[in-house]
Every structure is written in C-alpha cells, then in structure tokens.
Amino acid sequence: MLHAPDFRRLWGSHTVSLLGDQIRTLALPLAAVLVLHAGPGQMGLLTAAGTLPALLFSLLAGAASDRYGRRRRTMVLADLLRAALLATVPVAAVFGTLSLTQLYLVAFGTGTLSVLFDVADASMFVAVVPRERFVAANSLIHGSRAASYLAGPSLGGLLVQAVGAPLALLADAVSFLASAVLLRGIRASEPPTERTGLAGLVGGLSYLRRSATIRATLAGTAVMNLFNFAFAALFTLYATTALGISPGTLGLVLGAGAIGSLLGAFLTPRLGRLIGIGPAALIGMVLFPAPLILVPLADRPGPTALLLVFGSEFGAGLGVMMLDIAFGSITAAIVPARLRARVSGAFQSVNYGVRPIGSLLGGALGAALGLRPALWIATVGALAGVLFVLPSPVRRIRVLPDEPEEQPSGVPASAEAAA
C-alpha cells in the first residue's frame, strides 16, 4: 500500500493527527483535574461534551457528505478549525481566564468537527484503497494508531509535567495543521454523490436495519462503548487521586502498555487468515474490555498499581486493534461506496452517540458509589457487548466478500461460501 501516493498522504494524515489526539486525551482531562480541580460529575460532563456531537450530528453529516461530496475539502477544513479551537486553551491559561466552561465548549467544538472529518474519511478510504487491500490498509492505519498509543501518552505526560496541561494542547493543534497539509495533496476521485433529498437522512439507518452483519456489530460495539466511556470518564481521576500516579508517570505507563496495540496491529491480519476475519473480530470484542478489570483491582498507590494499569492498557490495546481492524475491514467491504458516508454517519450516531451517555453514567456512578465501585460496574458491563455479536453472521465470515451488499439481509454469499 505504501507505494500509492494518495494512500501515503491519507495514512500520514492519520498518523500525525493520531499522535496529537493522544496528547489531547491526556492533557485535556488533566487540565480539568489539576488546573481547575474538577470532580467526578464535572469529568463526566467534559467527556460527554466531546462525544455528544456524534449523537446530534452524525446522521446529518453523513447525508450531507454523500449528497454534496467534497470530502477532502471537508477533512482539511475540519483539521484547520480543530487546530484553532485547541489553541484557545493555552491562550486562556496564559491570561488566567481558563474555565471549565471553555473546556466543555472546546471539547464540543472539536467533537463536532471530528464527526464531519470521520464521515468524509469513510468515503475517502474506499476511494484510495483497492478492495483486496482493505485489511492491509486498515492494519497500517491502525498500526499508526497503536504507535500513537505508545508515544502519545508518554509525550503528553512529559509535556504536561514540563509546561502544564493547557500548553501541552498546542502539540495537538500543530498535528491538525500537518494533517491538513497532507490531505490537500490527495488526488483520488471521490465516490459519486447522490441527491436523495430528505430520504438521505435515513438511508444509512435503513441499511443498518437490513444488514444483519452490520446491525449486530453496531449493537455489540454500542454496549461496549457505553460502559467503556463510563470507565474513561473516571480513569484519569482514579489514577491520579486514588492511586497517586503523577501525570508524567501515568503517560509513561500508558505509553508502554500501548505496545499491546502495536502487537495487535501486527497480529490481526495473520489471525484473520488463520481463523477468519469474523472470529478475529469476536476475540477482539472480548480482549478489549476484559483487561480493564485490572484497574479497579488496584486499590492503593505503589508498584502493584502501576503494574496493573500497565497490564490493563497492554491487553486492551491488543484487543482494540483486533476489533477495529477486523470490523473496519468487514464494514468497508460490505457497504456500497455510494452509501459509505451515510452508513458511517448512522453508525456513529448510535455507536458514538452512547458515549456521552456513558460518560454521564460514569460521572453519576462515581459520585454516588465512589470511583472504584463505578469502575467495576463499567468494566464488567463492557464485556456484555460480545453477547450481541455471538449469534450473528459475523462469526461465519472467513474472508471479505468480493462485492458489497447492495440488498443486505444476512451474511454475504461469498463469505458464507468461505466459511
């Protein structure tokens, strides 16, 4: 795949912005905790603010993308505006005006722009990658994501330690600028637009309803994300207060644990060839949430707590790469190119839409029950997601289908034949 210039630019864009995203993932909540002294409920609101746009805007963004096209331009503009929004945080910190309200607004604004970027990216991926290379291309992109898990938290923790959480966000702003420059060079022809009118808003949902494969995938990942984001809303607060882990140490531990993500990106194509891409996805659905149980097992500061946090990050990183590469490749192969943005928008409206609910749930549970009991509930709940996928056609998919499902009902015929 790396010999194709357009894919190199798309892959490079993902690589640089993913690194910046990991810095933001650590720096933004640390700014709330360390600078503004946010509590569990406020941390839940902050996480919810960044994920709420997916619930509100994904359907509209997907329909608009398939109707009007110009996906590359949309992605470039989203990158530039996200850089500008993030830059307001260190400016406000320097002038002593930073507030939780501003952090909520920045999280909501960057989340909205990410929705626009992601639905356009779904179409650009199939425009620059041949069908037979979907798994290989997804492995490279998610390999970059894994590398960002390795380097990003460590770099973010060190930046927070050195210059403070607000100023560390400048690194993410710069990454978006670099991503925009790379995307401007893509010359591939985009999938055709469809002027479907109001029906375009529900076209993606209709496809999800008819496809047993995508419908089960959505149900399972939505349940998993609901509880994973309840976990995420409390994790930084629990690690820094209950476990006494400093920002620099937390970044280093999370970065080292992300070696599991690199291993997952390397192993998934091979595992898919060995047991089938569908069964590999199912393994990922278990392996992603299960290791997070190690975090509430840590009940006091010390080396054991660091080891358990490392183990949770390593195992979860391995699982999420298997899950994302396998399901991403299946979705790209099954969904027709002309519907990609609409289906992606519909998928995000549910899958990402549960994330703010999960964040608010985590904050509420943490405030009502305490951080550790809330983390136990979140980790065990996330494991229930696999129960929605086990009886579905996913487990029978051994190889990617040769043609998309224009009239979906169950498992693609070519995949069934390969089972």
Side-chain angles (χ1 to χ4, degrees), residues 18 74 164 220 222 234 238 250 281 311 343 416:
L18 284 167
T74 299
L234 303 175
Y238 184 73
L250 181 61
V343 173
E416 183 76 61

Side-chain angles (χ1 to χ4, degrees), residues 183-194:
L183 289 171
R184 280 178 58 86
I186 293 178
R187 294 292 179 262
S189 298
E190 299 182 13
T193 58
E194 282 195 352

